Amino acid sequence: RVEHLFKEIFKSALDVQEKEQRKALLVSRKKKAEDTVVEVNGERIGDGKPTFIFGPCAVESYDQVEIVAKAIKEKGQKLIRGGAYKPRTSPYDFQGLGLEGLKILKKAAEEQGLAVVTEIVTPGHLEEALDYLDVIQVGARNMQNFELLKAVGSTNKPVLLKRGMAATIDEFINAAEYIIANGNDQIILCERGIRTYEKATRNTLDISAVPILKQETHLPVFVDVTHSTGRRDLLLPTAKAAIAIGADGVMAEVHPDPAVALSDAQQQMDLGQFDEFYDSLMKFMKQYEMNR
Amino acid sequence: RVEHLFKEIFKSALDVQEKEQRKALLVSRKKKAEDTVVEVNGERIGDGKPTFIFGPCAVESYDQVEIVAKAIKEKGQKLIRGGAYKPRTSPYDFQGLGLEGLKILKKAAEEQGLAVVTEIVTPGHLEEALDYLDVIQVGARNMQNFELLKAVGSTNKPVLLKRGMAATIDEFINAAEYIIANGNDQIILCERGIRTYEKATRNTLDISAVPILKQETHLPVFVDVTHSTGRRDLLLPTAKAAIAIGADGVMAEVHPDPAVALSDAQQQMDLGQFDEFYDSLMKFMKQYEMNR
Amino acid sequence: RVEHLFKEIFKSALDVQEKEQRKALLVSRKKKAEDTVVEVNGERIGDGKPTFIFGPCAVESYDQVEIVAKAIKEKGQKLIRGGAYKPRTSPYDFQGLGLEGLKILKKAAEEQGLAVVTEIVTPGHLEEALDYLDVIQVGARNMQNFELLKAVGSTNKPVLLKRGMAATIDEFINAAEYIIANGNDQIILCERGIRTYEKATRNTLDISAVPILKQETHLPVFVDVTHSTGRRDLLLPTAKAAIAIGADGVMAEVHPDPAVALSDAQQQMDLGQFDEFYDSLMKFMKQYEMNR
Amino acid sequence: RVEHLFKEIFKSALDVQEKEQRKALLVSRKKKAEDTVVEVNGERIGDGKPTFIFGPCAVESYDQVEIVAKAIKEKGQKLIRGGAYKPRTSPYDFQGLGLEGLKILKKAAEEQGLAVVTEIVTPGHLEEALDYLDVIQVGARNMQNFELLKAVGSTNKPVLLKRGMAATIDEFINAAEYIIANGNDQIILCERGIRTYEKATRNTLDISAVPILKQETHLPVFVDVTHSTGRRDLLLPTAKAAIAIGADGVMAEVHPDPAVALSDAQQQMDLGQFDEFYDSLMKFMKQYEMNR
């Protein structure tokens, strides 16, 4: 009885301690109560209305990107994603077009008035790439590439930071802290599924991470429905869930012809599927937003 | 090149094979295209409109259950949950009131016109309990207690089958098949979180399991927001996500005084929280349903 | 600084608390410092010298069991395992021969002077089975089938308790406590791999669980190399690791013709492989034992 | 029946395919049947006799390193580890002494005739560090930092590559392939535990990964007992298991005064514990080696 009481007291004390420590982080709500809004190309990410990032997994050619960019523009969206430096499991898989790919992406994006979101995988690429991107993506495999975090933290470009494959929420928040501690507070967190025993989906979308991250930090939180599920048939339902639970935006991959894509062929939407996805989501959101 | 082509062919063939096999299951959409609707106390679970199961973790006393039953009735809900036979990690934890607890639950429920959902943990308890329950719950720890599955499959009571702590979706579907193969097709599947490395929540809610289960089977799918998150502050956001993604219902725990609850003290809602949870969810749903 | 110190103090206090509580368990070293030795058919399991349990996954016929029983006897071993009541993922898989299978197993075992280890999956089977078995196995899926634990705890037969598929060590210890709390202290714990994201093996053998269980409890600890790895080529190396780390014994499956086995065809050894496995392990142990 | 047969055929075909592909890797046994031996400072890592890497988690001062270096030399060992560039979860944790730390480590090592094993976390550090190290460690967080893998693959220094926190064995092998594909075949693989739900240990040592990696590749395989267990009391038993299962070596952390260590205070051995660990392991190995 008494022992149990003591234990409870200790536990509470420990919890208080840990919460205190977390409050001290620059990314924490305690340090800054109001939501951080990241402004990119006129989009105000994190201001309460969900925003979107669409685009192909990898940049393959000007034509490929242009088709997708036009589809995005038609929908009134402002951002396009595309990989130029591709982190791939095997050294013999397509490694991306590098700087050339990024220039292609930038050109196609500018012609449609879109801003570019692209992944940087090592500090050494940052300088050459900086002129051709608007948002720096740090991918799941690099969430604890601390030198990269410091490097992007020293730029004045917004950063989209993806959660590591098996990162705890606490590690995720601390990774963002590396960026803000180096002077850059324009950070978008992105839940993209975690690695679990379940293989029906590519990863397991940890949907509860969204409200936890919104509580603990003042940063906008996105959900990448493509990499979390790895299944085209789950993109729309998980996007609805993401918005319903309070995500600030959704990221999804679109490719003119997924079957011949050089990466992620199984999970990108084609243009028709993209239209359908977008329309259904807008319809869902129209209802939902009234009440948010 | 050619090798790769062969591999793709094999892969497709294998996938087709596995899908065929799955189609053969009695619980599969292929065997029965239309949704199964489980009718309990006038509620039609699975007919498109979300339903709810609320109630305390464990039955502790008549007064305790009565208070919750009244709150449920006031909201126009028709079902109450409560544990009489409690599976507990330690033999020295409160093990539930057993049949006496079940009789208390039934009495309090009947007085408010509610149907009883309660867990049965072993075939030997089934006979004595059958008169005092309306829906048999098979808990996560017993999802592969096959003799129990066969036993509940031989009754004519609806069964709420929870996903095992680390069960794959495929194992979950096969567990349901044990029930239907014994003659009982009144089955409600319930996602309740899976065990992963992430400890910010009690379990990790596998929200994508909901649309997968809806695709693969014709059974209604619930989400237990209490056990998946283990956190009171996440009940409302995850309930919204569950409904947005297409769940047929939500289960959550309510206790008149959670702080003194004999189990799950950290995660049950008190009556005020219950009101707030319910009102917010109804408001969310009102918008949402128009468009479903 | 001071805050950190406080945190450390709290943490230590909490740890002390939890250790105290664990000490209170009947299975804990604190309650009983000396090793429990479970005696079966002249084998003293847990007395320092590793022992072995071999046999087919499932009993299929008298001939099948007899062949294996003879091979076990030839090696001077005293125990045979075999499943009569089989817990299977699908209701359409071979479910075991039930009591008839158990009678076959007992007969073949007795003729070779072996004791029978067999799984019981529900309390209702216990009475009919008790005369035909020497060690009751509680399988991974039933580690938290508490009514079964209570039932086997009320018998006077030794119990081999397998760790659940995704059970923590703490839950495993508490499951054993259910048995001892009901009066039966003849318990053998069995690590059999846990479910993780890694699929190169059927499960991930948690080898460190062995020394932890030996520290925390006074019970003998086995390692099931068949179910943890699911790969014939890993049986010998993992058996060596198990013995080197201090396991009290090893369990492995042997079948006269694995290719036609009605379950676990991929992972059982045939008789030739069994000979080779056993000889190599004895050679390894001969060296090892001198120094243990 | 027939369907099942087809399925089996397809499955086998797929397996054959995948094995073929794996054979094609430069790190695979198929490409090179004989074991790769990595020679460092007279130690032949991978030639059948286990070798060892000891040293502090982080370099803190010359005195600290010198004490450990002397203890290592006394035991006749040839390698010392120590972190100068430290990847830490929080930006406010001790980040290592950087190049200065590395110079300290090199000086203390040279004076005792030891070779230096140290982690490099980003390609940009490689040039300045190359003169002060003998083996480049790539840590778990950087296993898929592909630009770093390419960079270390372009040096002529041996590389100790740690398995990622939640990397599959297949991803681990492919990470090594990045190094060898860039021209460097002096690679030591290091299993260091994987992230699972079990929290009794810091990570779960995946001991079966050792024989799998030995089968699939021709590279030496180490086990880091410190990071896999995170518990001083498990270092010796897991080291024995590692050697028994066929590991080419063991890595463990030693600190003159772990209680005041700037990182990993809970898991480093002090000098007395180091002596005891080493003596017990040598005694174990003396027996074991006779028969290997």
Side-chain angles (χ1 to χ4, degrees):
Chain A
R1 261 349 23 218
V2 175
E3 257 184 22
H4 185 70
L5 192 68
F6 274 168
K7 187 174 161 184
E8 289 302 299
I9 293 169
F10 288 140
K11 212 167 192 169
S12 309
L14 239 189
D15 287 356
V16 168
Q17 264 314 108
E18 283 183 355
K19 264 177 205 153
E20 282 309 314
Q21 219 176 18
R22 209 171 270 179
K23 279 172 199 164
L25 295 182
L26 297 173
V27 295
S28 69
R29 279 270 172 216
K30 182 70 182 195
K31 265 287 199 254
K32 178 174 169 243
E34 62 277 19
D35 288 336
T36 287
V37 174
V38 176
E39 215 173 316
V40 188
N41 198 23
E43 284 282 24
R44 293 177 46 82
I45 298 169
D47 81 341
K49 191 169 162 279
T51 48
F52 297 92
I53 303 175
F54 298 115
C57 177
V59 174
E60 294 166 8
S61 71
Y62 181 80
D63 287 356
Q64 172 231 20
V65 181
E66 189 187 32
I67 293 168
V68 178
K70 283 182 172 167
I72 292 170
K73 189 196 178 180
E74 271 169 34
K75 292 174 175 42
Q77 288 298 318
K78 303 288 189 187
L79 298 157
I80 185 168
R81 58 147 287 143
Y85 308 95
K86 297 295 301 172
R88 302 301 302 276
T89 298
S90 162
Y92 310 124
D93 285 341
F94 172 60
Q95 304 273 313
L97 300 178
L99 185 57
E100 285 320 297
L102 190 49
K103 287 179 180 172
I104 288 170
L105 177 59
K106 183 64 180 173
K107 184 158 180 284
E110 270 186 345
E111 285 171 7
Q112 309 302 326
L114 305 181
V116 163
V117 182
T118 202
E119 180 169 359
I120 295 297
V121 295
T122 197
H125 291 162
L126 205 49
E127 204 186 322
E128 69 177 32
L130 223 47
D131 286 348
Y132 305 99
L133 57 75
D134 301 287
V135 177
I136 304 167
Q137 181 178 311
V138 175
R141 289 178 182 82
N142 284 309
M143 193 202 81
Q144 291 195 322
N145 184 337
F146 299 116
E147 295 305 313
L148 180 59
L149 297 178
K150 289 176 196 170
V152 302
S154 302
T155 70
N156 59 0
K157 298 276 187 179
V159 179
L160 182 118
L161 176 66
K162 288 201 167 184
R163 183 179 183 182
M165 196 170 275
T168 62
I169 289 174
D170 195 56
E171 289 167 345
F172 191 17
I173 291 173
N174 272 285
E177 186 72 9
Y178 267 92
I179 299 171
I180 204 169
N182 279 274
N184 188 347
D185 65 352
Q186 299 293 292
I187 306 166
I188 305 159
L189 302 175
C190 183
E191 159 66 26
R192 46 74 75 200
I194 59 174
R195 189 163 266 187
T196 73
Y197 70 86
E198 175 64 74
K199 302 300 175 195
T201 43
R202 180 165 162 176
N203 291 288
T204 297
L205 173 57
D206 181 9
I207 196 80
S208 340
V210 176
I212 296 175
L213 291 167
K214 296 291 295 177
Q215 268 180 47
E216 301 278 341
T217 80
H218 50 76
L219 303 173
V221 180
F222 257 61
V223 171
D224 175 345
V225 292
T226 302
H227 290 93
S228 48
T229 65
R231 286 171 57 158
R232 227 173 262 125
D233 61 340
L234 298 179
L235 300 180
L236 180 60
T238 49
K240 286 182 183 176
I243 287 167
I245 210 168
D248 295 293
V250 166
M251 181 183 237
E253 288 182 1
V254 179
H255 190 287
D257 189 357
V260 301
L262 297 177
S263 56
D264 279 3
Q266 305 300 317
Q267 65 196 34
Q268 302 191 59
M269 291 182 274
D270 68 23
L271 297 174
Q273 290 158 344
F274 181 31
D275 284 350
E276 203 183 339
F277 170 86
Y278 191 79
D279 291 350
S280 302
L281 200 55
M282 287 304 116
K283 228 168 100 184
F284 171 79
M285 277 177 58
K286 205 162 282 175
Q287 293 307 119
Y288 174 71
E289 274 170 284
M290 298 182 194
N291 247 343
R292 210 181 178 181
Chain B
R1 264 340 32 211
V2 175
E3 253 183 25
H4 185 71
L5 192 69
F6 273 168
K7 187 174 159 183
E8 290 300 300
I9 294 168
F10 287 141
K11 212 165 190 170
S12 310
L14 238 192
D15 287 356
V16 169
Q17 264 313 110
E18 282 182 355
K19 265 177 202 153
E20 281 309 315
Q21 219 177 19
R22 210 171 268 178
K23 279 172 198 164
L25 294 183
L26 299 173
V27 295
S28 70
R29 280 269 171 218
K30 183 69 182 195
K31 264 290 200 253
K32 179 174 167 243
E34 62 279 19
D35 289 335
T36 287
V37 174
V38 177
E39 216 173 316
V40 187
N41 198 23
E43 284 283 24
R44 292 177 46 83
I45 298 170
D47 81 342
K49 190 169 162 279
T51 48
F52 297 93
I53 302 175
F54 299 116
C57 177
V59 174
E60 294 166 8
S61 71
Y62 181 79
D63 287 356
Q64 173 232 19
V65 181
E66 189 188 32
I67 292 170
V68 178
K70 283 183 173 166
I72 293 170
K73 190 195 177 181
E74 269 168 35
K75 291 174 175 44
Q77 289 298 318
K78 302 288 188 187
L79 297 157
I80 185 169
R81 59 147 287 143
Y85 308 95
K86 297 295 302 172
R88 301 303 300 277
T89 299
S90 161
Y92 310 125
D93 286 340
F94 173 59
Q95 305 273 314
L97 299 179
L99 185 56
E100 286 320 297
L102 191 48
K103 287 179 179 171
I104 288 170
L105 177 58
K106 184 62 179 174
K107 184 158 178 283
E110 270 186 343
E111 285 172 8
Q112 309 302 328
L114 305 180
V116 163
V117 182
T118 202
E119 180 169 359
I120 295 298
V121 294
T122 196
H125 292 163
L126 204 49
E127 204 186 322
E128 68 177 32
L130 224 46
D131 287 347
Y132 306 99
L133 57 76
D134 301 287
V135 177
I136 304 168
Q137 181 178 312
V138 174
R141 290 179 182 81
N142 284 309
M143 192 203 81
Q144 291 195 321
N145 183 338
F146 300 116
E147 294 305 313
L148 180 59
L149 297 178
K150 290 176 195 170
V152 302
S154 303
T155 69
N156 59 1
K157 299 277 187 176
V159 179
L160 182 118
L161 176 66
K162 289 200 166 182
R163 183 177 182 182
M165 197 170 276
T168 62
I169 289 175
D170 196 56
E171 290 166 346
F172 191 16
I173 291 173
N174 272 284
E177 187 73 9
Y178 266 92
I179 299 171
I180 204 170
N182 279 274
N184 187 348
D185 65 352
Q186 300 293 294
I187 305 167
I188 305 159
L189 301 174
C190 184
E191 158 67 26
R192 44 76 74 199
I194 58 174
R195 188 164 266 187
T196 73
Y197 71 86
E198 175 63 74
K199 301 300 174 195
T201 43
R202 179 164 162 177
N203 291 287
T204 297
L205 173 57
D206 181 7
I207 197 81
S208 339
V210 176
I212 296 174
L213 291 167
K214 296 291 296 177
Q215 268 180 46
E216 302 278 342
T217 80
H218 50 76
L219 302 173
V221 179
F222 257 61
V223 171
D224 174 345
V225 293
T226 302
H227 289 93
S228 49
T229 65
R231 285 172 57 157
R232 228 173 262 127
D233 60 340
L234 298 178
L235 300 180
L236 180 61
T238 49
K240 286 182 183 175
I243 288 167
I245 210 167
D248 296 292
V250 166
M251 182 184 237
E253 288 181 1
V254 179
H255 190 285
D257 188 359
V260 300
L262 297 177
S263 57
D264 281 2
Q266 303 300 318
Q267 65 196 35
Q268 302 191 57
M269 291 181 272
D270 68 21
L271 297 174
Q273 291 158 342
F274 180 32
D275 285 349
E276 203 183 340
F277 170 87
Y278 192 78
D279 290 350
S280 303
L281 200 54
M282 286 305 115
K283 228 168 100 183
F284 171 79
M285 278 177 57
K286 207 163 278 175
Q287 293 308 117
Y288 174 72
E289 273 170 285
M290 298 182 193
N291 246 344
R292 209 179 180 182
Chain C
R1 240 51 316 248
V2 175
E3 254 183 24
H4 184 69
L5 191 69
F6 273 168
K7 186 175 162 185
E8 289 302 299
I9 293 169
F10 288 140
K11 212 167 193 171
S12 311
L14 238 191
D15 287 356
V16 168
Q17 263 316 107
E18 281 182 356
K19 266 177 203 154
E20 282 309 314
Q21 217 176 20
R22 212 172 266 179
K23 280 172 199 166
L25 295 183
L26 298 173
V27 295
S28 69
R29 279 270 172 216
K30 182 69 183 194
K31 263 290 199 251
K32 179 174 167 245
E34 63 278 18
D35 288 336
T36 288
V37 175
V38 177
E39 217 173 315
V40 188
N41 198 22
E43 285 283 25
R44 292 177 47 82
I45 298 169
D47 82 342
K49 191 169 161 281
T51 48
F52 297 93
I53 303 174
F54 298 116
C57 177
V59 174
E60 294 166 7
S61 71
Y62 180 80
D63 288 355
Q64 172 231 22
V65 181
E66 190 189 32
I67 292 169
V68 178
K70 283 182 173 167
I72 292 170
K73 190 197 177 179
E74 270 168 34
K75 290 172 177 45
Q77 290 296 319
K78 302 289 188 185
L79 298 156
I80 186 169
R81 59 146 287 143
Y85 307 95
K86 298 295 303 171
R88 301 301 303 277
T89 299
S90 162
Y92 309 125
D93 286 339
F94 173 59
Q95 304 273 313
L97 300 178
L99 185 57
E100 286 319 298
L102 190 49
K103 287 179 180 171
I104 287 170
L105 177 59
K106 183 64 179 172
K107 185 157 178 286
E110 269 186 345
E111 285 171 8
Q112 309 302 327
L114 305 180
V116 162
V117 182
T118 203
E119 180 169 359
I120 295 298
V121 295
T122 197
H125 292 163
L126 204 49
E127 203 186 322
E128 69 177 32
L130 222 48
D131 287 346
Y132 305 99
L133 58 77
D134 302 288
V135 177
I136 304 167
Q137 181 178 311
V138 174
R141 289 179 181 81
N142 284 309
M143 194 203 80
Q144 291 195 320
N145 182 338
F146 299 115
E147 294 304 313
L148 179 60
L149 297 178
K150 290 176 195 170
V152 302
S154 303
T155 70
N156 59 359
K157 299 275 187 179
V159 179
L160 182 119
L161 176 65
K162 289 200 166 183
R163 182 178 182 182
M165 196 169 276
T168 62
I169 290 175
D170 195 57
E171 290 167 346
F172 190 16
I173 291 173
N174 272 285
E177 186 73 9
Y178 266 92
I179 299 171
I180 204 170
N182 279 274
N184 187 347
D185 64 353
Q186 299 293 292
I187 306 166
I188 305 159
L189 301 174
C190 184
E191 159 65 27
R192 45 74 75 199
I194 58 174
R195 188 163 266 187
T196 73
Y197 71 85
E198 175 63 76
K199 302 299 174 195
T201 42
R202 180 164 161 177
N203 290 288
T204 297
L205 173 57
D206 181 7
I207 196 79
S208 340
V210 176
I212 296 175
L213 291 168
K214 296 292 295 177
Q215 268 180 46
E216 302 277 340
T217 80
H218 49 77
L219 302 173
V221 179
F222 258 61
V223 171
D224 174 345
V225 293
T226 302
H227 289 93
S228 48
T229 65
R231 285 172 57 157
R232 229 173 261 128
D233 61 341
L234 298 179
L235 300 180
L236 181 60
T238 49
K240 287 182 183 175
I243 287 167
I245 210 168
D248 295 292
V250 166
M251 183 183 236
E253 288 182 1
V254 179
H255 190 285
D257 189 358
V260 302
L262 297 176
S263 55
D264 279 2
Q266 304 300 317
Q267 64 196 37
Q268 303 191 59
M269 292 181 273
D270 68 23
L271 296 175
Q273 291 158 343
F274 181 31
D275 285 349
E276 204 182 339
F277 170 86
Y278 191 78
D279 291 350
S280 304
L281 200 55
M282 286 305 115
K283 230 169 98 184
F284 171 79
M285 276 177 57
K286 205 163 282 175
Q287 294 307 118
Y288 174 72
E289 274 170 284
M290 298 181 194
N291 247 343
R292 210 181 178 181
Chain D
R1 241 48 317 249
V2 175
E3 254 183 25
H4 184 70
L5 192 67
F6 273 170
K7 186 175 160 183
E8 290 301 299
I9 294 169
F10 287 141
K11 212 167 191 169
S12 310
L14 237 190
D15 287 354
V16 169
Q17 264 312 109
E18 281 183 356
K19 265 178 203 151
E20 282 309 315
Q21 219 176 18
R22 210 172 269 180
K23 278 173 200 165
L25 295 182
L26 299 173
V27 295
S28 70
R29 279 268 172 218
K30 182 69 182 194
K31 264 288 198 253
K32 179 172 167 247
E34 63 278 17
D35 288 336
T36 287
V37 175
V38 177
E39 216 174 316
V40 188
N41 199 21
E43 284 283 24
R44 293 177 46 82
I45 298 170
D47 81 342
K49 191 170 162 279
T51 47
F52 298 93
I53 302 174
F54 298 116
C57 177
V59 174
E60 294 166 7
S61 71
Y62 180 79
D63 287 355
Q64 173 231 20
V65 180
E66 189 188 33
I67 292 170
V68 178
K70 283 182 174 169
I72 292 171
K73 191 198 178 179
E74 269 168 35
K75 290 174 176 44
Q77 289 297 318
K78 302 288 189 187
L79 298 157
I80 186 169
R81 59 148 286 142
Y85 308 95
K86 298 295 302 171
R88 301 302 302 275
T89 299
S90 162
Y92 309 125
D93 285 340
F94 173 60
Q95 304 272 314
L97 299 178
L99 185 56
E100 285 320 298
L102 190 48
K103 287 179 181 172
I104 288 171
L105 177 59
K106 183 62 179 172
K107 183 156 179 286
E110 270 185 345
E111 284 171 9
Q112 309 302 326
L114 305 180
V116 163
V117 183
T118 202
E119 180 169 359
I120 295 297
V121 295
T122 197
H125 291 163
L126 204 49
E127 205 186 321
E128 69 176 31
L130 223 47
D131 287 346
Y132 305 100
L133 56 77
D134 301 287
V135 177
I136 304 167
Q137 180 179 312
V138 175
R141 289 179 181 82
N142 284 309
M143 194 203 81
Q144 291 195 320
N145 183 338
F146 299 116
E147 294 305 314
L148 180 59
L149 297 178
K150 290 176 194 169
V152 302
S154 303
T155 71
N156 59 0
K157 299 275 186 180
V159 179
L160 182 118
L161 176 65
K162 289 202 166 183
R163 182 177 183 182
M165 196 170 276
T168 62
I169 290 175
D170 195 57
E171 289 166 347
F172 191 17
I173 291 173
N174 273 285
E177 186 73 9
Y178 266 92
I179 299 171
I180 205 169
N182 279 274
N184 188 348
D185 66 352
Q186 301 293 293
I187 306 166
I188 305 158
L189 301 174
C190 184
E191 158 66 26
R192 44 76 73 201
I194 58 174
R195 189 163 264 187
T196 72
Y197 71 84
E198 175 62 75
K199 302 299 175 197
T201 43
R202 180 164 160 176
N203 290 287
T204 298
L205 173 58
D206 180 7
I207 197 79
S208 341
V210 176
I212 296 175
L213 291 168
K214 297 292 295 177
Q215 268 180 47
E216 301 277 341
T217 80
H218 50 77
L219 302 174
V221 179
F222 257 61
V223 171
D224 175 346
V225 292
T226 302
H227 289 93
S228 49
T229 65
R231 285 172 58 157
R232 229 174 261 127
D233 60 340
L234 298 179
L235 301 180
L236 180 60
T238 50
K240 287 182 183 175
I243 288 167
I245 210 167
D248 295 292
V250 166
M251 182 182 238
E253 288 181 0
V254 179
H255 190 286
D257 189 359
V260 301
L262 297 176
S263 56
D264 279 3
Q266 305 299 317
Q267 64 195 35
Q268 302 191 57
M269 291 181 272
D270 68 22
L271 298 175
Q273 290 158 344
F274 181 31
D275 285 349
E276 203 182 341
F277 170 86
Y278 191 78
D279 291 350
S280 303
L281 200 55
M282 286 305 115
K283 228 167 98 183
F284 172 79
M285 277 177 58
K286 206 162 281 174
Q287 294 308 118
Y288 174 71
E289 274 170 283
M290 299 182 195
N291 246 343
R292 210 182 178 181

